[in-house]
Amino acid sequence: MNMSLALTIIFFVFIVLFLLFHLLMIFGFYFGAPFVPTSRKRLRIMLELAKPKPGELWIDLGSGDGRLIIAAARAGARAVGYEIHPMLVALTKIKIWFYGLGGRAQVKLVNFWPVDLSKADIISLYLIPNKMARLQKKLSAGLKPGCRVVSNAFRFPDWTPSAEKDRVKLYIR
């Protein structure tokens, strides 16, 4: 194989992966939100507001690259992320393995809307505004008493936050 053909194949594979990644990002708008990484500052605030205790179940809806479930697991929680973007799930699995958190963190390639959240102690999310009312309805019907819901940036339409810092809201149900 000559060098020109090899470079063409590499370029083609790169373009296909690039397009696939962005197509899946658009797909995310329909189900919840596109991938927008949570800043380190907001991540620290989410942990500070939620106050995870060792062994609590932290569920991240739309876990993206896994940074929040990894931080929650490092803080002692059992962390589960739900993500529909297969490339982000693969990246998260690699990060969980790299940090040695396999016993405390996991990510699932699944749409979170049909998932049972009733066992969660903490739920985190970073959705888009037009999905917040639908999620509020789902959460209102199935959370255990005292569950903490941490929302990065956006409010639930009919809930009042128990605490708020730098646009991160904590709701206690």
Side-chain angles (χ1 to χ4, degrees):
M1 180 184 324
N2 67 26
M3 185 64 136
S4 177
L5 180 59
L7 289 175
T8 301
I9 291 170
I10 291 169
F11 180 74
F12 178 74
V13 168
F14 175 76
I15 293 298
V16 168
L17 289 173
F18 178 83
L19 292 174
L20 180 61
F21 182 84
H22 286 85
L23 179 64
L24 290 169
M25 293 290 284
I26 293 168
F27 184 68
F29 270 107
Y30 178 76
F31 286 103
F35 171 58
V36 177
T38 299
S39 70
R40 291 175 203 250
K41 178 181 177 185
R42 291 265 180 94
L43 185 107
R44 284 191 302 274
I45 293 169
M46 292 175 87
L47 288 166
E48 174 188 319
L49 291 176
K51 294 179 177 65
K53 296 174 187 80
E56 285 190 312
L57 177 58
W58 184 311
I59 295 177
D60 190 20
L61 305 178
S63 59
D65 65 358
R67 63 184 63 195
L68 190 52
I69 60 172
I70 287 169
R74 285 178 156 178
R78 293 176 297 120
V80 178
Y82 294 101
E83 178 58 56
I84 61 170
H85 195 305
M87 291 177 175
L88 293 173
V89 169
L91 175 61
T92 301
K93 287 182 178 193
I94 291 167
K95 290 166 104 177
I96 289 169
W97 171 82
F98 180 79
Y99 290 116
L101 296 170
R104 292 196 318 244
Q106 62 178 306
V107 63
K108 298 180 180 186
L109 178 60
V110 67
N111 177 358
F112 67 77
W113 289 105
V115 171
D116 176 14
L117 303 172
S118 64
K119 292 182 172 57
D121 297 296
I122 302 166
I123 294 175
S124 55
L125 54 117
Y126 190 7
L127 298 183
I128 54 179
N130 68 344
K131 300 295 182 187
M132 296 300 283
R134 179 179 174 200
L135 184 59
Q136 177 183 306
K137 184 177 178 182
K138 175 182 175 56
L139 296 177
S140 292
L143 295 183
K144 67 181 181 182
C147 181
R148 284 125 38 222
V149 179
V150 185
S151 177
N152 186 357
F154 304 111
R155 292 184 176 275
F156 287 104
D158 300 322
W159 291 356
T160 302
S162 300
E164 184 171 352
K165 184 176 180 181
D166 194 27
R167 296 185 58 217
V168 175
K169 291 114 184 98
L170 171 69
Y171 302 89
I172 301 175
R173 302 310 306 149

